[in-house]
Amino acid sequence: MRCTLNINGTDHPLLLDPRVTLLDLLREHLKLSGTKKGCDHGQCGACTVLMDGKRFNSCLALAVVQQGRRITTIEGLATGEQLHPMQAAFLEQDGFQCGYCTPGQICSAVAMLDEVRAGSPSFVTAVKAQQPVDLSEHEIRERMSGNLCRCGAYPNIVRAVQQAWRKEKA
Ligand code: FES
Ligand code: FES
């Protein structure tokens, strides 16, 4: 099937087998290997990208049906040489060990802060908040629970997300 996908601000005209997942399109066809394949079953979050600003597991999405959406991968977060504040926070807080889960963690965290700004509830904040919720460690761990880290870098991942949130509020 022919389709055109907008990825990191660039339109890509493509001829694709309709069974190709967005994850395989990114990694195997477009060589955007920042997005990682962990489980390939929607369980680990390593493949998280942004679709129209919302986080999504790209291993669960067929590529051809994403036409008309704005897809952002880890490669598209920085502005030139300027890292996205979440990328900078992960670096400063040492929020990784092997780094395999990191692109997914960062994309997920970027969208998660948007959800918080919009007052989106979580298991920790059961009722829709009128104001952005307080991002406690408990809140961050719950809201980031779809992104697993086999190295167990969670304490520093939490600190990185808190840093990005606090810098934004300051
Ligand atoms: Fe997509 Fe694990 S590779 S959720
Ligand atoms: Fe290794 Fe998360 S840093 S899996």
Side-chain angles (χ1 to χ4, degrees), residues 96-102 105 148-151 153:
F96 47 85
Q97 287 183 39
C98 76
Y100 199 80
C101 72
T102 312
Q105 299 275 5
L148 305 183
C149 174
R150 279 167 288 189
C151 298

Side-chain angles (χ1 to χ4, degrees), residues 59-71:
C59 69
L60 296 182
L62 292 174
V64 290
V65 297
Q66 308 312 325
Q67 185 157 282
R69 296 202 166 116
R70 192 169 36 87
I71 298 158

Side-chain angles (χ1 to χ4, degrees), residues 23 36-47 57 59:
L23 175 59
K36 300 295 189 253
K37 182 182 281 191
C39 63
D40 211 19
H41 283 91
Q43 295 171 346
C44 72
C47 65
N57 288 342
C59 69

